[in-house]
Amino acid sequence: MPYSIQVNGTLKTVDVDGDMPLLWVLRDVLDLKGSKFGCGAGLCGACTVHLDGTPARSCQTAIADVGSSAVTTIEGVSDNPVGRRIQAAWLEVDVPQCGYCQAGQIMSATALLAKTPHPTDQDVADAMAGNICRCATYMRIRAAIKKAATMRTAAAGSP
Ligand code: FES
Ligand code: FES
């Protein structure tokens, strides 16, 4: 049946089964491939998006349960000033290795910094605990979050 969801500020209507995971809808129906499939079981965080600014595992979120929540994916995170700071810090610190987990990491980090502008190491550890990195970039992730907390917000559209 048709479902209308708000994705990155745009209303999209998709005609799918209600139990289809949001991750499938994003990647296979809306062609937003930035959110990654890792475990498919809510354990790795590769599929993390925001629902109304809160991190959510899109592999575990049925499209029927999204309702009126605003969905933000990695493709839309730079619309958020905090997301732009996180992305800039990620580049400065050169965080990624293979990159597979990084969209999910950035979504969780953006939600953390939006809620806690100057996180402690423990805040970072708690907020990022569900995002697994096979390449073990954890130290650089923490450094980038700390750097982003000290940066001024970049203008929209700037790198
Ligand atoms: S793919 Fe969703 S948590 Fe791993
Ligand atoms: S950068 Fe390779 S899994 Fe995280």
Side-chain angles (χ1 to χ4, degrees), residues 3 14 25 28 33 40 45 74 80 107 118 122 125 141 148 153 157:
Y3 292 90
V14 295
V25 174
D28 296 346
K33 310 277 194 196
I74 188 67
N80 174 331
M107 298 311 290
H118 298 286
Q122 192 59 52
I141 287 169
T153 299

Side-chain angles (χ1 to χ4, degrees), residues 131-148:
N131 288 83
I132 307 301
C133 177
R134 291 289 298 269
C135 305
T137 61
Y138 300 112
M139 299 297 279
R140 294 201 296 277
I141 287 169
R142 188 173 72 190
I145 292 171
K146 291 294 190 79
K147 178 171 276 294

Side-chain angles (χ1 to χ4, degrees), residues 84-157:
R84 288 199 292 280
R85 273 198 278 144
I86 288 285
Q87 288 185 311
W90 241 246
L91 287 173
E92 271 196 40
V93 175
D94 202 9
V95 173
Q97 192 163 320
C98 80
Y100 198 83
C101 71
Q102 296 291 326
Q105 305 280 4
I106 286 173
M107 298 311 290
S108 291
T110 298
L112 165 64
L113 216 57
K115 199 170 141 209
T116 309
H118 298 286
T120 64
D121 286 356
Q122 192 59 52
D123 293 333
V124 173
D126 291 345
M128 305 302 293
N131 288 83
I132 307 301
C133 177
R134 291 289 298 269
C135 305
T137 61
Y138 300 112
M139 299 297 279
R140 294 201 296 277
I141 287 169
R142 188 173 72 190
I145 292 171
K146 291 294 190 79
K147 178 171 276 294
T150 68
M151 291 168 84
R152 290 179 52 224
T153 299

Side-chain angles (χ1 to χ4, degrees), residues 13 29 52 57 71 94 110:
T13 300
V29 181
D52 289 335
R57 305 297 185 235
V71 180
D94 202 9
T110 298

